[in-house]
Amino acid sequence: MTRNHLITEKLQIRYPIVQAPMLGVTTPEMVAAIANEGGLGSLPVGGLSPEKTTELIRKTKQLTSYPFAVNLFAHTIPDITIAEAQQMQEYLSELGRKNGLEFPAQSIEKLVFYSYKSQIDILIAEQIPIVSFTFGIPDDESLLKLKANGILLIGTATCLEEALILDKKNIDIITAQGIEAGGHRGTFLDTIPLPQVSVMALVPQIVGRINKPVLASGAINDGNTIRAALAMGASGVQIGTAFIASSESMAIPTYKQAVLNAKDTDSTLTRTFSGRWARGLQNQFMSALDHSGLTPLPYPIQNSLTTPLRQVAQQHNNNNFTNMWSGQSAPKIQLPDCAAIFRELVRQTEIKNT
Ligand SMILES: Cc1cc2nc3c(=O)[nH]c(=O)nc-3n(C[C@H](O)[C@H](O)[C@H](O)COP(=O)(O)O)c2cc1C
């Protein structure tokens, strides 16, 4: 297979493989390891404070001199209904208490939700060359600023209609996120039922309509699946789950183990943890909330309300009360670190760096 010039030249990388941004799992060490191996590392900063965003970018820069992408969440922030949030918080603290995971109540009125808008100037000041985003499209003012600074933009689509909207907004590269993908759905059209299109259906339909590089994302975990994506017309791939169990990952040990052992049917779509649909391994928390009679609050409110329970569960290495985002295909290459996994992906794909 020959090198895919379209994407590698645009992204200044050697191989058309992007490490998916994975908030809560990806570390600067992971991003740097992939960048140093010739792939595109992606640093997730969705919903983080401006201070934390700067800190993570600077840490990553210390570990690699290669370019990397920074990933934003481009959603709007809904109004919070205090009474509903209080009811959810009471349910969650009771659930935690019953399961030996106590945590102090948060003051709902004091919850802070950061917008991507407060991160745009930081990305420009830090001279980030590539910005990817999910959950929507940054507003026109932000897009103009990013473009005026020569920043390459990668947007996420979960159906053809979303890809066409990204194309119209002059987004440079489109990530086609199939229903197999681990983590949150990037879906941003709420006028239709949640798109549940597979990578195999989505990639050729986007490639057939849009004359821009497309990254296939979802269930790609070895040379065969990378080659399959390229054969369908993708210019590259974006891979997440395959890196969750690596030494550079922030995942707790029981989450890593569960991902490594996961069968094709072990993951499901849930709104219980964050209020947005996401694919993760089924666990006690998801079943409990599904049967509680309560409805998860909109993202990111539900996400903030479940954070203390998830944090205390993680401290106890308890994977039953924290999210275990994972795709439908478990990691196939079981090597200890990201560099080794990445090299094996390249070797299996036989990408020639011509
Ligand atoms: C643990 C985890 C966290 C994720 N977090 C993000 C994120 O912060 N931003 C984003 O654009 N996509 C995120 N995703 C989705 C990935 O970008 C990608 O679509 C997905 O990992 C591809 O499917 P795979 O996991 O089967 O490789 C996440 C995925 C996982 C597994």
Side-chain angles (χ1 to χ4, degrees), residues 114 153 186 200 204 212 214 244 268 279 318 328 346 354:
Y114 295 103
L153 301 176
M200 192 148 189
K212 278 184 182 155
V214 171
I244 293 177
T268 178
R279 179 176 294 285
N318 179 338
Q328 288 181 328
V346 170
T354 53

PDB file of all heavy atoms in Angstrom, residues 114 153 186 200 204 212 214 244 268 279 318 328 346 354:
ATOM      1  N   TYR A 114     -17.444  25.240  31.050  1.00  0.00           N
ATOM      2  CA  TYR A 114     -16.575  26.016  30.153  1.00  0.00           C
ATOM      3  C   TYR A 114     -16.970  25.786  28.698  1.00  0.00           C
ATOM      4  O   TYR A 114     -17.269  24.670  28.300  1.00  0.00           O
ATOM      5  CB  TYR A 114     -15.108  25.613  30.341  1.00  0.00           C
ATOM      6  CG  TYR A 114     -14.576  25.948  31.707  1.00  0.00           C
ATOM      7  CD1 TYR A 114     -14.418  24.956  32.671  1.00  0.00           C
ATOM      8  CD2 TYR A 114     -14.240  27.254  32.035  1.00  0.00           C
ATOM      9  CE1 TYR A 114     -13.929  25.258  33.939  1.00  0.00           C
ATOM     10  CE2 TYR A 114     -13.759  27.573  33.292  1.00  0.00           C
ATOM     11  CZ  TYR A 114     -13.606  26.571  34.234  1.00  0.00           C
ATOM     12  OH  TYR A 114     -13.138  26.880  35.475  1.00  0.00           O
ATOM     13  N   LEU A 153      -8.667  22.481  10.144  1.00  0.00           N
ATOM     14  CA  LEU A 153      -9.819  22.087  10.959  1.00  0.00           C
ATOM     15  C   LEU A 153     -10.341  20.698  10.592  1.00  0.00           C
ATOM     16  O   LEU A 153     -10.521  20.377   9.414  1.00  0.00           O
ATOM     17  CB  LEU A 153     -10.943  23.113  10.793  1.00  0.00           C
ATOM     18  CG  LEU A 153     -10.572  24.551  11.194  1.00  0.00           C
ATOM     19  CD1 LEU A 153     -11.723  25.499  10.897  1.00  0.00           C
ATOM     20  CD2 LEU A 153     -10.185  24.616  12.676  1.00  0.00           C
ATOM     21  N   GLY A 186     -20.522  12.026  18.104  1.00  0.00           N
ATOM     22  CA  GLY A 186     -20.250  13.426  17.753  1.00  0.00           C
ATOM     23  C   GLY A 186     -21.479  14.130  17.206  1.00  0.00           C
ATOM     24  O   GLY A 186     -21.414  15.303  16.844  1.00  0.00           O
ATOM     25  N   MET A 200     -18.856   1.308   7.605  1.00  0.00           N
ATOM     26  CA  MET A 200     -18.889   0.776   6.238  1.00  0.00           C
ATOM     27  C   MET A 200     -19.932   1.483   5.368  1.00  0.00           C
ATOM     28  O   MET A 200     -19.765   1.602   4.164  1.00  0.00           O
ATOM     29  CB  MET A 200     -19.189  -0.717   6.270  1.00  0.00           C
ATOM     30  CG  MET A 200     -18.969  -1.388   4.952  1.00  0.00           C
ATOM     31  SD  MET A 200     -18.424  -3.050   5.229  1.00  0.00           S
ATOM     32  CE  MET A 200     -17.988  -3.538   3.596  1.00  0.00           C
ATOM     33  N   PRO A 204     -18.091   5.477   2.585  1.00  0.00           N
ATOM     34  CA  PRO A 204     -18.258   5.619   1.125  1.00  0.00           C
ATOM     35  C   PRO A 204     -19.286   6.683   0.761  1.00  0.00           C
ATOM     36  O   PRO A 204     -19.130   7.365  -0.258  1.00  0.00           O
ATOM     37  CB  PRO A 204     -18.745   4.231   0.681  1.00  0.00           C
ATOM     38  CG  PRO A 204     -18.381   3.300   1.777  1.00  0.00           C
ATOM     39  CD  PRO A 204     -18.417   4.110   3.046  1.00  0.00           C
ATOM     40  N   LYS A 212     -13.109  15.973  -0.064  1.00  0.00           N
ATOM     41  CA  LYS A 212     -12.172  16.350   1.009  1.00  0.00           C
ATOM     42  C   LYS A 212     -11.697  15.072   1.689  1.00  0.00           C
ATOM     43  O   LYS A 212     -12.412  14.062   1.661  1.00  0.00           O
ATOM     44  CB  LYS A 212     -12.914  17.179   2.058  1.00  0.00           C
ATOM     45  CG  LYS A 212     -13.028  18.616   1.678  1.00  0.00           C
ATOM     46  CD  LYS A 212     -13.660  19.455   2.735  1.00  0.00           C
ATOM     47  CE  LYS A 212     -13.755  20.879   2.194  1.00  0.00           C
ATOM     48  NZ  LYS A 212     -14.815  21.623   2.822  1.00  0.00           N
ATOM     49  N   VAL A 214     -11.295  12.194   4.239  1.00  0.00           N
ATOM     50  CA  VAL A 214     -12.183  11.652   5.269  1.00  0.00           C
ATOM     51  C   VAL A 214     -11.380  10.679   6.124  1.00  0.00           C
ATOM     52  O   VAL A 214     -10.617   9.847   5.613  1.00  0.00           O
ATOM     53  CB  VAL A 214     -13.391  10.928   4.611  1.00  0.00           C
ATOM     54  CG1 VAL A 214     -14.215  10.178   5.641  1.00  0.00           C
ATOM     55  CG2 VAL A 214     -14.258  11.928   3.846  1.00  0.00           C
ATOM     56  N   ILE A 244      -6.622   2.316  24.659  1.00  0.00           N
ATOM     57  CA  ILE A 244      -7.105   2.536  26.036  1.00  0.00           C
ATOM     58  C   ILE A 244      -6.285   1.778  27.079  1.00  0.00           C
ATOM     59  O   ILE A 244      -6.055   2.277  28.180  1.00  0.00           O
ATOM     60  CB  ILE A 244      -8.607   2.166  26.168  1.00  0.00           C
ATOM     61  CG1 ILE A 244      -9.472   3.138  25.356  1.00  0.00           C
ATOM     62  CG2 ILE A 244      -9.061   2.166  27.633  1.00  0.00           C
ATOM     63  CD1 ILE A 244     -10.962   2.813  25.350  1.00  0.00           C
ATOM     64  N   THR A 268     -22.614  -0.692  24.823  1.00  0.00           N
ATOM     65  CA  THR A 268     -23.964  -0.236  24.481  1.00  0.00           C
ATOM     66  C   THR A 268     -23.974   1.290  24.471  1.00  0.00           C
ATOM     67  O   THR A 268     -23.058   1.925  24.999  1.00  0.00           O
ATOM     68  CB  THR A 268     -24.970  -0.833  25.499  1.00  0.00           C
ATOM     69  OG1 THR A 268     -26.262  -0.368  25.197  1.00  0.00           O
ATOM     70  CG2 THR A 268     -24.649  -0.444  26.908  1.00  0.00           C
ATOM     71  N   ARG A 279     -20.898   5.394  23.637  1.00  0.00           N
ATOM     72  CA  ARG A 279     -20.766   3.936  23.683  1.00  0.00           C
ATOM     73  C   ARG A 279     -19.750   3.526  24.751  1.00  0.00           C
ATOM     74  O   ARG A 279     -18.609   3.991  24.745  1.00  0.00           O
ATOM     75  CB  ARG A 279     -20.314   3.385  22.316  1.00  0.00           C
ATOM     76  CG  ARG A 279     -20.136   1.851  22.339  1.00  0.00           C
ATOM     77  CD  ARG A 279     -19.775   1.281  20.962  1.00  0.00           C
ATOM     78  NE  ARG A 279     -20.852   1.446  20.003  1.00  0.00           N
ATOM     79  CZ  ARG A 279     -21.972   0.714  19.992  1.00  0.00           C
ATOM     80  NH1 ARG A 279     -22.150  -0.250  20.881  1.00  0.00           N
ATOM     81  NH2 ARG A 279     -22.896   0.944  19.085  1.00  0.00           N
ATOM     82  N   ASN A 318     -12.886   0.917  40.910  1.00  0.00           N
ATOM     83  CA  ASN A 318     -14.194   0.266  40.786  1.00  0.00           C
ATOM     84  C   ASN A 318     -14.801   0.650  39.433  1.00  0.00           C
ATOM     85  O   ASN A 318     -15.235   1.790  39.237  1.00  0.00           O
ATOM     86  CB  ASN A 318     -15.092   0.742  41.941  1.00  0.00           C
ATOM     87  CG  ASN A 318     -16.476   0.129  41.883  1.00  0.00           C
ATOM     88  OD1 ASN A 318     -16.933  -0.324  40.839  1.00  0.00           O
ATOM     89  ND2 ASN A 318     -17.147   0.121  43.019  1.00  0.00           N
ATOM     90  N   GLN A 328     -16.968  -1.171  19.637  1.00  0.00           N
ATOM     91  CA  GLN A 328     -17.447  -2.552  19.499  1.00  0.00           C
ATOM     92  C   GLN A 328     -16.315  -3.546  19.271  1.00  0.00           C
ATOM     93  O   GLN A 328     -16.531  -4.747  19.399  1.00  0.00           O
ATOM     94  CB  GLN A 328     -18.452  -2.640  18.340  1.00  0.00           C
ATOM     95  CG  GLN A 328     -19.784  -1.990  18.677  1.00  0.00           C
ATOM     96  CD  GLN A 328     -20.788  -2.102  17.554  1.00  0.00           C
ATOM     97  OE1 GLN A 328     -20.422  -2.112  16.377  1.00  0.00           O
ATOM     98  NE2 GLN A 328     -22.062  -2.152  17.894  1.00  0.00           N
ATOM     99  N   VAL A 346       1.150  -0.038  11.970  1.00  0.00           N
ATOM    100  CA  VAL A 346       1.818   0.336  10.716  1.00  0.00           C
ATOM    101  C   VAL A 346       2.364  -0.913  10.028  1.00  0.00           C
ATOM    102  O   VAL A 346       2.168  -1.119   8.821  1.00  0.00           O
ATOM    103  CB  VAL A 346       2.943   1.357  10.974  1.00  0.00           C
ATOM    104  CG1 VAL A 346       3.791   1.571   9.719  1.00  0.00           C
ATOM    105  CG2 VAL A 346       2.363   2.691  11.448  1.00  0.00           C
ATOM    106  N   THR A 354       6.754   6.271   1.410  1.00  0.00           N
ATOM    107  CA  THR A 354       7.502   6.564   0.180  1.00  0.00           C
ATOM    108  C   THR A 354       7.737   8.058   0.033  1.00  0.00           C
ATOM    109  O   THR A 354       7.024   8.861   0.593  1.00  0.00           O
ATOM    110  CB  THR A 354       6.707   6.085  -1.051  1.00  0.00           C
ATOM    111  OG1 THR A 354       5.392   6.642  -0.972  1.00  0.00           O
ATOM    112  CG2 THR A 354       6.645   4.583  -1.082  1.00  0.00           C
TER     113      THR A 354
END
